[in-house]
């Protein structure tokens, strides 16, 4: 039971960290954000807004990686 609780807590912490990365990424774009999605492996956050570009961010660090226009 302790292992399941520890696993659930670890998943919750990862989720909370991912939400903060998404929030920071959304604030970094000057145009309104219309959609965001994590890559299947959770390593990247992809953000699209009114600037008609896709912005990718490292989901662990929150650092911008690429912009596709």
């Amino acid at each position: 039971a302790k292992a399941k609780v520890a696993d659930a807590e670890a998943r919750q912490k990862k989720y909370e960290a991912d939400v903060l990365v998404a929030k920071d990424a959304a604030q970094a774009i000057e145009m309104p954000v219309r959609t965001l999605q994590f890559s299947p492996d959770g390593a990247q956050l992809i953000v699209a807004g009114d600037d008609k570009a896709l912005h990718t961010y490292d989901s662990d660090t929150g650092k911008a990686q690429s912009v596709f226009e």
Side-chain angles (χ1 to χ4, degrees):
K2 287 183 182 181
K4 287 185 178 182
V5 170
D7 184 51
E9 289 174 345
R11 284 194 319 266
Q12 180 67 27
K13 280 189 164 195
K14 174 68 172 140
Y15 171 78
E16 289 170 358
D18 288 347
V19 168
L20 288 176
V21 168
K23 181 180 175 185
D24 290 346
Q27 290 175 345
I29 299 173
E30 293 185 23
M31 297 289 181
V33 170
R34 297 299 176 187
T35 188
L36 53 93
Q37 180 71 42
F38 284 97
S39 62
D41 63 1
Q44 292 181 316
L45 174 68
I46 298 93
V47 179
D50 283 353
D51 63 352
K52 300 193 179 4
L54 295 176
H55 302 263
T56 62
Y57 298 87
D58 182 291
S59 64
D60 288 330
T61 65
K63 291 185 180 181
Q65 293 180 324
S66 301
V67 176
F68 300 95
E69 297 185 47

